[in-house]
Amino acid sequence: MGAVEVRGFGWRHAGRKAWAVRGVDLRIEAGERVLLLGPSGAGKSTLLAALAGLLPEDSGEQEGTVEIDGLDPRKDRERVGIVFQDPETQLVMARSGDDVAFGLENRGVPAGEIWPRVDEALRRVGFPYDRDRPTAALSGGEQQRLALAGALALRPGLLLLDEPTANLDPAGADLVRRAVAGALSADTTLILVEHRVAEALPLVDRVVVLEPGGGVRADGPPEAVFAAHGEALAAEGVWVPGRTIPPRHATTPPGEELLTADRLGLPPRLAPTDLRVRAGEALAVLGPNGVGKSTLALLLGGLLRPGVGRVTATAALAGADDRTPPHRWRAPALTRRIGSVFQDPEHQFVTATVFDELALGPRRTGQSEPAVRATVDALLDRLRLTRLAGANPYTLSGGEARRLSVATALATAPRLLICDEPTFGQDRRTWRELLDLFADLRDAGHAVVTVTHDADFVAALADRTVTLNRRPDPAGGDSGRRP
Amino acid sequence: MTNTDSNRWRTIDIVIAAVLGVAFGIIFWAWGLLWNGPADAIPLPGRAAIYGVWLVPAVLGGLIIRKPGAAFFTLTVAALVSVALGSSWGWTLVIQGPLEAAAAELAFAAFGYRVFRLPVALLAATLAGLAAALYDVFIWYPDTAWGSFRLPYILITAVSSLVIAGLGSVALTRALARTGVLDRFPAGRERAAI
Amino acid sequence: MISLEPVAAPGAPLARRNPVAKLAAALVFSAVLVATLDPVAPAIAIAVELAVLPLFGIRYRVLARRALPLLAAAAGIVVTLVLFAADRSGRVLLDAGPLLVTSGVLLTALGLVLRMFAVALPGVIVFATTDPTDLADALVQNAKAPARFAIGTLAAFRLVPLLGQEWQMIEMARRARGVDAGRNPVAKLRLFVSTAFALLVGAIRRGTRLAVAMDARGFDAGTPRTFARRQRFGVADGLLVAGAAVLGSAAIAVSVALGTFRPLIG
Ligand SMILES: Nc1ncnc2c1ncn2[C@@H]1O[C@H](COP(=O)(O)OP(=O)(O)OP(=O)(O)O)[C@@H](O)[C@H]1O
Ligand SMILES: Nc1ncnc2c1ncn2[C@@H]1O[C@H](COP(=O)(O)OP(=O)(O)OP(=O)(O)O)[C@@H](O)[C@H]1O
Ligand SMILES: [Mg+2]
Ligand SMILES: [Mg+2]
């Protein structure tokens, strides 16, 4: 069960001139495990949505056909289970157990069978709480597990997973991968979208690479595909295993201090933490899911009022404002000094087009219109968003949205840049561009603070790391310079 | 699944109507604080000038969802949610809400759920306002004088409803359509491709 | 403050009753009371409501807090009647120019205010003792409400607590990009309105995705749904509804017997 037949498939979202995917021919036998690759914006998420029958006819234009076991997935969703890129949008009910039961109820599973199946699914994904746990009280990683349980409980013939481990800490990502491996029965077909190929490879026996312009670029066993196309794929943005990107560490010692945090915390979200940020250095903040990294980023960025302790900006960053803490600064002053990139890019968007989104900051800080235009065009070009200048930010692919959110923070050229998970869900090309962008900023005397689970990015960029721990650490988190 | 019957509610119709209802339930809750708080400085019937806010969800729901029952469902949910959150009229809204909602629904039904232009919106808003005002004067303000209270009250409520719920909902629908969130509804489908 | 969780002791004998039964009982009880304008029947009804409160596991302090907003509406009713009453019979209590307050006016006002409390309290009791999920389940299973609408509304209702967080997020996003109002009240109002609009847009966007997620799990597949959580409507539930009808009518009957009854129409 779960054979996929795609013939000449193409989809164009309503309101777009370009096709999101086009000319895809693909046959996947029941029980195959496929890794779907392709650069950001190639149409991977769109293709998965089509396989799940979730592209409504009134929301775009279709070419070709998609069949699951010979049936149109729009009419017959019995066979397909899907976990989206963002698990939060996927939870339906208020209690965890009810949420898993939701799909079973919809499919008319007899009442007596429902709870045993719910319990089994929760056990398989290592869900740590009982069924009554409110879904609103789950961390990102736990939500991801619950969403997976909801899909597995249906015993789908075809399981579709869109970046199921983005945003998880390494231990959590490992757990989810093992849950997937352990939960699949022999005849379940799996299609997985995951940029980080190396971690996903143990789960799959076939790789399909989508060509951004249309069609399938490569298809076959992983070793064969990477041996034959490795060079070209890497250049296009696919994370080909074994091809590392040269690191960019600081060549000069850091300069003056810009910002310090003393016993800074916001109970219960963040325990008191000490931190100092200097010009010309890249600092990485690490730690498990839910420890308070994003909270710390918002506090440092002057967006949240500290619960305890304080943030102090030096005159080098704040000029005459160095006696007031950042959260009391006027917004235009703040955005010139500190740029913030939120963990969820969509939380950051405030206008209706990509262009306006980039122009907002410069306009608010009083730049002239020609200067604004020049800044925006340069950023659009550098992050390959020119084609999308008129698009609504909320219709972007995961990777495009992330690039835009980074670009918005750069638009006012702040002295200090604070980025929350800038590299999640990024293809190799964007990853490399971000690395160069941040490194260039640092070398030009800016400070870059990144909150991240991405060990490779830390290794390639960071001059110093700070690790937050679950228990309040009396000594604070500052670990000193990297060797 | 792909039902061509345009009067059948899709999942998205149900959820968005409910979301609008929930959002306005919260607005009602806050609006109630204003109505009975600062706005108390203007005694009735003058205060009825801002009455139209209570009727916005009916017209907005009808204009966006464009299905039979949309106006009724949206305002009923809003009323129920405001009751659940603790409104100062409490349980009585369980009767009043659906009543106003049914009045607005009447206007859309009269045009066979085919016309969703400004005049229909204004008619729906006015009918809802009239229903609400009549309910109020009989249930809440019995024993008041027709000349000095009841007639002005009904009139002011109807006009407020026409302006706030009628014109306001049309403007709000247009503003929402511009953001792209209504792309899957007929109301949001008139935009250029990028 | 907005609170959605049931606040009652879950084991209380009447709190455990079927949500539809509680809803019906509250509706019956208050519908009877709307029909009268005298102060006696609502006063009896309020006494009854306060007497059964422990059976619902609600503490009086909790009820008082939830019923507090009702005072505001009550004040509005009194003011309106004092200003616009048509019938100003009875003893004159205050005569200050256009303001003519008589005992008749005050009696009517008292009746209306008591009635408003008598009608509103059952609603407070129902929502304080009922979990939204149970209510939706019971509406579908026991009241034959359309499942798609009940479950769809339940899913939307789950967004309520999330909207507060979303509001904070929008404010932070704007501030990060240099948008704030400073001390200018007009700019503040404009920012408030545009934040509220952004919240509505965000809620609709969330709703759209939620609908897709529900469809992905077969919500609209046309297969008849089964129920994981059974809700039963038993004899005790029937008795609750009947009891509400009897008690409501009894309050009216006492009022009629005392000669104080004043029907709404007539
Ligand atoms: N709802 C939408 N409306 C309009 N265009 C969209 C929508 N969703 C995606 N697109 C566009 O379709 C193209 C393909 O998007 P898709 O999300 O499928 O990419 P992807 O391969 O998953 O990328 P990523 O790796 O960045 O997640 C992108 O250019 C994107 O901007
Ligand atoms: N707005 C909020 N209100 C209350 N609690 C919150 C809020 N946001 C986050 N939390 C809680 O605070 C804790 C820290 O959250 P935070 O998002 O800072 O963690 P994090 O380290 O960034 O985690 P992740 O790696 O998953 O992004 C978590 O337990 C979370 O559930
Ligand atoms: Mg994607
Ligand atoms: Mg975080």
Side-chain angles (χ1 to χ4, degrees):
Chain A
M1 230 182 48
V4 176
E5 177 91 56
V6 179
R7 270 185 245 104
F9 175 75
W11 180 265
R12 176 159 68 180
H13 289 281
R16 288 292 178 90
K17 288 194 186 114
W19 292 78
V21 265
R22 199 169 201 189
V24 176
D25 286 291
L26 201 59
R27 180 163 177 83
I28 298 172
E29 302 301 334
E32 273 194 284
R33 310 284 152 88
V34 178
L35 176 62
L36 186 62
L37 293 177
S40 170
K44 304 178 294 295
S45 299
T46 307
L47 183 58
L48 283 200
L51 292 175
L54 294 176
L55 291 177
E57 270 153 0
D58 58 6
S59 71
E61 183 186 339
Q62 180 168 336
E63 275 181 354
T65 57
V66 175
E67 278 174 7
I68 313 291
D69 293 330
L71 295 169
D72 179 351
R74 279 207 191 97
K75 299 209 172 67
D76 188 282
R77 296 213 185 84
E78 297 282 307
R79 282 151 233 274
V80 188
I82 182 167
V83 177
F84 303 128
Q85 223 160 332
D86 179 3
E88 197 193 6
T89 57
Q90 185 155 356
L91 304 179
V92 178
M93 303 292 269
R95 291 182 293 233
S96 301
D98 293 358
D99 192 75
V100 179
F102 175 72
L104 298 169
E105 293 177 310
N106 289 333
R107 300 210 171 163
V109 172
E113 280 178 38
I114 291 182
W115 293 116
R117 274 172 77 167
V118 168
D119 290 338
E120 191 209 70
L122 287 176
R123 190 182 46 71
R124 276 179 156 187
V125 299
F127 188 72
Y129 309 105
D130 65 7
R131 288 188 215 144
D132 283 338
R133 177 84 177 179
T135 47
L138 300 176
S139 83
E142 290 158 358
Q143 285 178 349
Q144 204 120 38
R145 257 171 249 186
L146 186 62
L148 187 61
L152 289 177
L154 301 172
R155 306 202 179 130
L158 172 62
L159 182 63
L160 307 169
L161 304 176
D162 199 350
E163 306 201 25
T165 57
N167 268 320
L168 292 195
D169 58 36
D174 196 43
L175 240 157
V176 165
R177 276 193 294 270
R178 271 191 282 141
V180 172
L184 291 175
S185 58
D187 60 351
T188 310
T189 313
L190 171 72
I191 303 183
L192 173 69
V193 173
E194 179 72 81
H195 280 292
R196 296 314 174 81
V197 175
E199 280 111 57
L201 277 184
L203 285 175
V204 299
D205 46 33
R206 176 174 165 194
V207 170
V208 173
V209 186
L210 286 188
E211 176 81 34
V216 172
R217 172 65 180 269
D219 184 354
E223 315 76 46
V225 167
F226 293 130
H229 305 277
E231 195 71 47
L233 290 179
E236 265 173 31
V238 175
W239 282 99
V240 177
R243 267 165 225 273
T244 50
I245 294 174
R248 299 259 325 245
H249 292 295
T251 46
T252 49
E256 72 232 298
E257 206 157 86
L258 296 181
L259 199 71
T260 46
D262 298 302
R263 316 301 305 146
L264 175 66
L266 186 62
R269 291 164 62 176
L270 173 69
T273 307
D274 290 327
L275 193 84
R276 49 198 74 253
V277 183
R278 295 185 200 95
E281 79 168 347
L283 175 68
V285 177
L286 313 176
N289 283 124
V291 76
K293 302 180 298 299
S294 300
T295 307
L296 178 64
L298 294 172
L299 288 167
L300 293 176
L303 300 171
L304 274 181
R305 175 201 298 274
V308 298
R310 64 174 178 277
V311 183
T312 326
T314 62
L317 179 66
D321 262 347
D322 63 342
R323 273 165 222 287
T324 33
H327 76 270
R328 302 259 304 278
W329 296 347
R330 288 294 309 273
L334 177 71
T335 192
R336 264 193 309 263
R337 294 167 190 155
I338 307 180
S340 287
V341 176
F342 293 13
Q343 181 162 8
D344 183 343
E346 294 200 344
H347 283 155
Q348 195 172 345
F349 300 148
V350 294
T351 65
T353 69
V354 169
F355 185 94
D356 286 343
E357 200 58 36
L358 289 170
L360 179 65
R363 280 182 186 146
R364 295 294 299 192
T365 53
Q367 287 189 24
S368 71
E369 202 52 28
V372 171
R373 191 157 268 284
T375 311
V376 172
D377 285 343
L379 280 168
L380 284 174
D381 189 50
R382 170 129 205 201
L383 289 165
R384 285 177 290 116
L385 294 166
T386 310
R387 184 175 66 83
L388 297 164
N392 186 314
Y394 293 95
T395 62
L396 300 180
S397 83
E400 291 161 351
R402 181 34 105 203
R403 297 206 294 275
L404 175 61
S405 67
V406 172
T408 58
L410 295 174
T412 47
R415 188 80 195 276
L416 167 59
L417 183 66
I418 300 174
C419 298
D420 201 349
E421 305 287 356
T423 57
F424 88 84
Q426 290 307 315
D427 63 19
R428 185 177 189 272
R429 186 157 155 203
T430 311
W431 195 94
R432 180 166 196 167
E433 278 158 358
L434 287 174
L435 174 64
D436 285 338
L437 205 63
F438 290 175
D440 291 348
L441 278 177
R442 175 201 45 212
D443 296 345
H446 296 248
V448 180
V449 176
T450 47
V451 168
T452 189
H453 295 300
D454 184 347
D456 297 333
F457 199 66
V458 175
L461 175 74
D463 308 306
R464 197 155 62 83
T465 63
V466 170
T467 305
L468 303 187
N469 296 313
R470 278 255 180 261
R471 269 170 284 107
D473 181 353
D478 229 327
S479 72
R481 269 192 86 79
R482 273 166 57 87
Chain B
M1 183 61 252
T2 48
N3 203 317
T4 45
D5 176 6
S6 68
N7 277 346
R8 182 178 188 274
W9 288 61
R10 303 167 295 165
T11 302
I12 186 170
D13 296 323
I14 297 174
V15 176
I16 296 304
V19 164
L20 289 175
V22 167
F24 273 88
I26 298 172
I27 293 173
F28 281 2
W29 173 80
W31 192 248
L33 298 183
L34 180 76
W35 179 268
N36 286 318
D40 236 358
I42 323 161
L44 286 171
R47 193 163 15 129
I50 55 169
Y51 200 103
V53 172
W54 303 116
L55 305 161
V56 170
V59 186
L60 191 67
L63 287 181
I64 291 178
I65 312 290
R66 301 192 179 179
K67 298 275 151 96
F72 181 80
F73 180 65
T74 310
L75 181 53
T76 302
V77 170
L80 288 177
V81 169
S82 74
V83 174
L85 297 178
S87 107
S88 53
W89 293 272
W91 192 235
T92 63
L93 293 178
V94 172
I95 299 159
Q96 186 168 11
L99 205 76
E100 302 162 358
E105 186 70 41
L106 222 57
F108 293 110
F111 288 86
Y113 300 104
R114 273 171 223 288
V115 190
F116 296 91
R117 298 182 168 283
L118 184 68
V120 184
L122 297 184
L123 178 66
T126 312
L127 286 183
L130 284 177
L134 284 172
Y135 180 92
D136 282 345
V137 297
F138 280 108
I139 300 293
W140 289 124
Y141 310 115
D143 269 10
T144 49
W146 277 97
S148 66
F149 183 79
R150 291 192 178 189
L151 284 181
Y153 182 80
I154 293 172
L155 207 71
I156 296 173
T157 303
V159 172
S160 158
S161 188
L162 176 98
V163 175
I164 300 180
L167 288 178
S169 297
V170 171
L172 191 53
T173 308
R174 293 212 180 120
L176 286 173
R178 271 199 297 278
T179 67
V181 284
L182 300 184
D183 281 359
R184 290 199 49 205
F185 296 89
R189 223 159 281 136
E190 297 102 25
R191 295 186 312 128
I194 302 139
Chain C
M1 211 25 250
I2 295 189
S3 66
L4 292 169
E5 284 77 44
V7 290
L14 290 184
R16 273 189 297 125
R17 294 275 61 80
N18 185 298
V20 167
K22 286 190 275 185
L23 213 61
L27 213 53
V28 170
F29 192 74
S30 33
V32 172
L33 287 168
V34 169
T36 175
L37 290 179
D38 70 287
V40 176
I44 298 172
I46 291 176
V48 169
E49 285 160 6
L50 293 179
V52 299
L53 212 54
L55 295 178
F56 283 98
I58 305 176
R59 276 172 294 132
Y60 287 102
R61 194 145 36 85
V62 173
L63 182 79
R65 201 168 344 109
R66 289 226 171 179
L68 212 57
L70 296 172
L71 282 178
I77 289 174
V78 174
V79 170
T80 304
L81 263 172
V82 166
L83 290 179
F84 298 106
D87 171 18
R88 296 189 191 261
S89 56
R91 203 153 51 82
V92 174
L93 300 174
L94 175 74
D95 186 356
L99 222 60
L100 177 70
V101 182
T102 67
S103 62
V105 169
L106 278 195
L107 200 67
T108 309
L110 180 69
L112 287 176
V113 167
L114 284 179
R115 188 183 62 162
M116 133 145 223
F117 274 93
V119 168
L121 289 184
V124 176
I125 296 174
V126 170
F127 283 104
T129 59
T130 307
D131 176 83
T133 307
D134 294 341
L135 177 60
D137 278 334
L139 279 174
V140 174
Q141 294 175 39
N142 308 121
K144 301 278 169 286
R148 293 203 311 144
F149 284 84
I151 305 289
T153 308
L154 179 66
F157 196 66
R158 204 178 70 82
L159 301 183
V160 173
L162 300 180
L163 291 180
Q165 285 175 26
E166 199 107 332
W167 182 279
Q168 199 192 11
M169 257 316 162
I170 296 170
E171 281 187 330
M172 288 197 298
R174 292 174 178 225
R175 182 168 154 72
R177 308 286 292 291
V179 183
D180 70 2
R183 288 193 189 79
N184 180 348
V186 177
K188 265 195 182 140
L189 184 70
R190 277 181 39 196
L191 195 65
F192 180 87
V193 169
S194 89
T195 306
F197 181 71
L199 193 69
L200 186 62
V201 171
I204 295 178
R205 185 169 290 117
R206 245 175 203 279
T208 307
R209 293 184 182 167
L210 186 64
V212 172
M214 291 167 78
D215 277 342
R217 288 201 268 159
F219 184 63
D220 196 18
T223 329
R225 273 186 125 241
T226 48
F227 305 107
R229 303 163 299 276
R230 273 229 70 87
Q231 294 285 346
R232 283 172 217 293
F233 194 97
V235 177
D237 298 306
L239 284 178
L240 177 63
V241 182
V246 168
L247 285 173
S249 317
I252 301 278
V254 172
S255 171
V256 171
L258 292 177
T260 51
F261 180 65
R262 267 182 74 201
L264 178 65
I265 298 160

